[in-house]
Amino acid sequence: GAGVSQSPRYKVAKRGQDVALRCDPISGHVSLFWYQQALGQGPEFLTYFQNEAQLDKSGLPSDRFFAERPEGSVSTLKIQRTQQEDSAVYLCASRPDRGRPSEQFFGPGTRLTVL
Amino acid sequence: KQEVTQIPAALSVPEGENLVLNCSFTDSAIYNLQWFRQDPGKGLTSLLLIQSSQREQTSGRLNASLDKSSGRSTLYIAASQPGDSATYLCAVRGAYSGAGSYQLTFGKGTKLSVIP
């Protein structure tokens, strides 16, 4: 497709369940970012990949959060033992070239609700 | 730690008015600043990106300015339309190299309502 896609668009999980959120970046984009957006807040950085390498995971809130991008394209954000405070919209963004001052292009997000 | 503030949090204007949205940031060492639009239930749409060396960028009815030394940016929307109703987010990318330099730091946004 032409843009960043994410699936599922909506996810409801019971507290304690594991979830996996998928991001398909724009084809050929080198950089990939995950952000978490709580209700009424701006997005907050979680983690950053350059191709398959995870260069920055400083924003991951706990060791229950894990992200991977094994082949440098599709990325998965996994949350283990979900808790109510994990409820948020998870946004994925990609950027074509780390050396250029280019824009980040965002997907529609996955809205996670933990009951 | 960079902090981004957007004022006002919400704004309601009649159709046709010109308006200004404000963004301020605490650390002036930025690489660029980006304005986004977010519609309910949707992702972010990039509107304008200003490099740290630039003063302004224009796209159609939108004009964004940047005063890096004072840590401020404004988004000017001319002749507002009901279709402009959305949340507008400002984000900065830090100038430092290394881990953390590629991420964007966002404000909480300004929710704009344009009344027909």
Side-chain angles (χ1 to χ4, degrees):
Chain A
V4 178
S5 61
Q6 293 185 246
S7 60
R9 291 293 315 279
Y10 304 91
K11 177 69 178 178
V12 178
K14 293 183 179 179
R15 189 173 56 182
Q17 279 187 328
D18 297 348
V19 298
L21 312 179
R22 176 187 169 107
C23 172
D24 285 81
I26 295 172
S27 178
H29 278 197
V30 171
S31 298
L32 185 145
F33 304 80
W34 283 98
Y35 293 84
Q36 180 190 58
Q37 186 175 24
L39 188 64
Q41 305 295 313
E44 293 193 356
F45 170 79
L46 294 177
T47 187
Y48 159 62
F49 289 86
Q50 189 179 105
N51 295 307
E52 70 279 2
Q54 188 175 23
L55 298 187
D56 188 350
K57 54 182 180 179
S58 62
L60 296 177
S62 77
D63 58 7
R64 296 185 296 104
F65 287 71
F66 172 77
E68 60 183 4
R69 193 186 185 197
E71 297 179 357
S73 56
V74 171
S75 177
T76 303
L77 176 66
K78 298 179 180 178
I79 308 174
Q80 298 176 325
R81 304 181 303 281
T82 53
Q83 301 177 6
Q84 287 187 324
E85 60 261 33
D86 299 335
S87 296
V89 176
Y90 291 85
L91 295 164
C92 175
S94 69
R95 196 179 68 195
D97 186 342
R98 68 179 177 93
R100 291 165 50 189
S102 53
E103 303 167 24
Q104 291 188 21
F105 296 87
F106 282 77
T110 294
R111 181 176 296 277
L112 173 65
T113 303
V114 182
L115 303 177
Chain B
K1 177 185 176 184
Q2 178 75 271
E3 293 183 1
V4 179
T5 303
Q6 291 188 247
I7 295 173
L11 180 64
S12 183
V13 301
E15 182 178 2
E17 273 204 4
N18 303 325
L19 59 100
V20 174
L21 307 181
N22 297 292
C23 171
S24 62
F25 44 95
T26 54
D27 187 346
S28 61
I30 65 169
Y31 190 77
N32 59 40
L33 182 145
Q34 200 166 349
W35 281 94
F36 294 88
R37 168 185 174 139
Q38 187 171 33
D39 294 279
K42 302 280 183 70
L44 278 64
T45 301
S46 179
L47 298 173
L48 290 165
L49 182 147
I50 311 177
Q51 299 302 324
S52 61
S53 58
Q54 297 175 322
R55 298 286 296 189
E56 66 178 333
Q57 282 286 336
T58 298
S59 176
R61 294 183 294 108
L62 305 180
N63 176 277
S65 67
L66 174 63
D67 184 342
K68 194 175 72 167
S69 61
S70 67
R72 294 180 181 178
S73 176
T74 61
L75 179 66
Y76 175 83
I77 302 177
S80 58
Q81 303 171 359
D84 295 330
S85 298
T87 296
Y88 290 79
L89 293 158
C90 164
V92 299
R93 176 182 163 185
Y96 305 109
S97 61
S101 64
Y102 297 102
Q103 62 181 267
L104 295 177
T105 302
F106 284 84
K108 293 184 179 181
T110 294
K111 186 175 181 179
L112 173 65
S113 299
V114 180
I115 311 302

